[in-house]
Amino acid sequence: MYVLGIETSCDETSAAIVKDGSRVFSNVVSSSIKFHKKYGGIIPEIASRMQLETIVQVADSAVEESGIKLKDIGLVSVTSSPGLPGSLLVGISFAKAAAFSLSLPLLAVDHIHAHIYASALDRKPIQLPFIALVVSGGHTSLFFVKAFDDIRPLGATQDDACGEAFDKVAKILGLGYPGGPVIEQLAKKGDPKKIKFRCSGTDGLLDFSFSGIKTAVLYYVKAHKALSRQDVSDVAASFQEAVTETLIEKALLACRIKKAARLVIGGGVAANGYLREKFFKAARSRKVSLHFPSGQLCMDNAAMVAGLGFQLFKKGHRSALDF
Ligand code: KG4
Ligand code: ZN
């Protein structure tokens, strides 16, 4: 079955065609990031207006690039939450109209669950159950995935999301938006052991907190007024090191608690090469099999929404046009 996926939860407008929940035939992503850069973060009204302008074209391109015909599509799957309300509304309205006009079934999909599913695209299925860690600009959560319609939360951030912390630290260091990729690049030239940053503790063993470390970076920068380029790289590397260590520690702890032998990671921060390398080393030593999506599938995209939609459809799930 060919599934048309639609994703508009943040600033991206994305449409994809995925066959049988795994083979990606097309995955078109249009980002409005350049319109937000000067504000240092996403402006919801700008994002949703750009999505309204581009959604039809993006969906057309996805169908065209896939090489299939509209009549070959068997299902429309769309991100329904969480996300920016105005942005979600654009994708949902488009998906409903497409499903209605093509007389197709419709499926509403959770955006965070779709990030977990990204690792299952264009490769062999991952054996269930597994632990999933989603690290994005809006979320940092651990889950026990028994099935794709039985995803149980184990822990989550108590304040900032992990990607949000990368973005805010980049802003403090005057590096622009989005912060993750810039911090990763600068950190390559820095010493990760130079400054002892730590993520704050949480009451729940599997919860996270990133607001304290962000403030620690702010105080460090204020206390050391004239930071050289090398100092900035050291701050970036030391921050990235502390965050990576916390993510690894908690994700592997979750595996131990739930006696899970597999760990799946998704979300924008999972594109970070340093984090991926350290995760692989740690997982190998604990004999946990680790799965990351390809770099592009870590970011918001509609292929993960189409893929998860197919799995839920197979299990009998449907959404009404008035969801
Ligand atoms: O999953 P995503 O595209 O959107 C949300 O659902 O939030 O994640 C975007 C987040 C941003 O905070 C961005 O700074 C972060 O992912 N990010 C990274 C990297 N690339 C993107 N963080 C660390 N290292 C990266 N290479
Ligand atoms: Zn996302």
Side-chain angles (χ1 to χ4, degrees):
M1 176 196 260
Y2 292 99
V3 180
L4 169 65
I6 302 290
E7 156 66 44
T8 60
S9 66
C10 192
D11 68 304
E12 281 90 1
T13 309
S14 180
I17 298 287
V18 175
K19 189 180 181 195
D20 297 339
S22 72
R23 256 195 81 195
V24 180
F25 274 61
S26 65
N27 189 20
V28 179
V29 183
S30 162
S31 166
S32 61
I33 199 88
K34 66 171 188 251
F35 298 98
H36 305 280
K37 270 189 193 298
K38 67 173 171 188
Y39 304 104
I42 305 291
I43 306 293
E45 288 75 15
I46 295 180
S48 59
R49 275 178 216 166
M50 298 300 292
Q51 283 159 329
L52 199 54
E53 281 178 24
T54 51
I55 183 83
V56 175
Q57 216 175 323
V58 166
D60 270 348
S61 304
V63 175
E64 203 181 304
E65 271 183 33
S66 73
I68 68 157
K69 300 267 181 298
L70 274 183
K71 66 172 176 44
D72 300 327
I73 299 172
L75 169 72
V76 180
S77 176
V78 61
T79 296
S80 59
S81 73
L84 304 171
S87 293
L88 288 167
L89 195 59
V90 175
I92 292 170
S93 306
F94 178 85
K96 286 181 176 179
F100 181 72
S101 62
L102 298 169
S103 302
L104 290 173
L106 177 69
L107 243 169
V109 160
D110 180 285
H111 178 75
I112 305 177
H113 295 178
H115 271 303
I116 298 172
Y117 194 81
S119 282
L121 293 168
D122 276 338
R123 59 176 67 154
K124 277 196 301 201
I126 301 164
Q127 208 187 318
L128 292 156
F130 56 76
I131 296 294
L133 170 68
V134 176
V135 267
S136 73
H139 313 277
T140 305
S141 305
L142 274 165
F143 300 94
F144 184 53
V145 182
K146 291 189 89 174
F148 286 108
D149 61 351
D150 187 358
I151 298 180
R152 302 179 182 188
L154 297 174
T157 182
Q158 303 298 292
D159 39 58
D160 290 356
C162 185
E164 191 182 353
F166 269 91
D167 295 334
K168 287 180 175 167
V169 163
K171 199 170 178 179
I172 292 167
L173 295 172
L175 302 173
Y177 179 85
V182 207
I183 296 228
E184 181 184 356
Q185 284 314 311
L186 267 184
K188 285 182 184 162
K189 294 174 215 133
D191 175 3
K193 305 279 178 225
K194 187 76 186 275
I195 309 147
K196 289 267 164 291
F197 290 128
R198 276 176 58 89
C199 294
S200 320
T202 48
D203 290 342
L205 276 181
L206 299 178
D207 287 331
F208 299 90
S209 167
F210 296 106
S211 130
I213 189 168
K214 170 197 71 189
T215 311
V217 172
L218 178 68
Y219 286 157
Y220 184 89
V221 171
K222 277 190 173 165
H224 300 77
K225 283 210 169 55
L227 289 181
S228 68
R229 194 78 185 151
Q230 184 58 49
D231 293 334
V232 173
S233 297
D234 290 340
V235 173
S238 302
F239 163 77
Q240 182 177 263
E241 174 74 7
V243 169
T244 303
E245 276 187 354
T246 298
L247 294 174
I248 291 174
E249 181 195 315
K250 303 234 171 178
L252 290 176
L253 177 62
C255 291
R256 212 165 66 228
I257 292 173
K258 301 303 282 182
K259 297 187 174 50
R262 286 163 296 276
L263 172 62
V264 168
I265 310 196
V269 182
N272 185 296
Y274 184 77
L275 176 143
R276 289 167 90 105
E277 208 177 291
K278 285 206 90 170
F279 250 110
F280 272 115
K281 258 190 213 149
R284 207 175 302 127
S285 72
R286 307 269 186 93
K287 301 206 168 15
V288 167
S289 105
L290 181 62
H291 305 265
F292 278 101
S294 67
Q296 199 212 338
L297 291 174
C298 289
M299 312 297 176
D300 286 351
N301 70 87
M304 63 188 192
V305 177
L308 178 57
F310 171 79
Q311 298 298 347
L312 298 177
F313 182 81
K314 236 178 39 175
K315 290 198 138 193
H317 295 269
R318 305 287 184 271
S319 301
L321 279 171
D322 63 352
F323 85 80

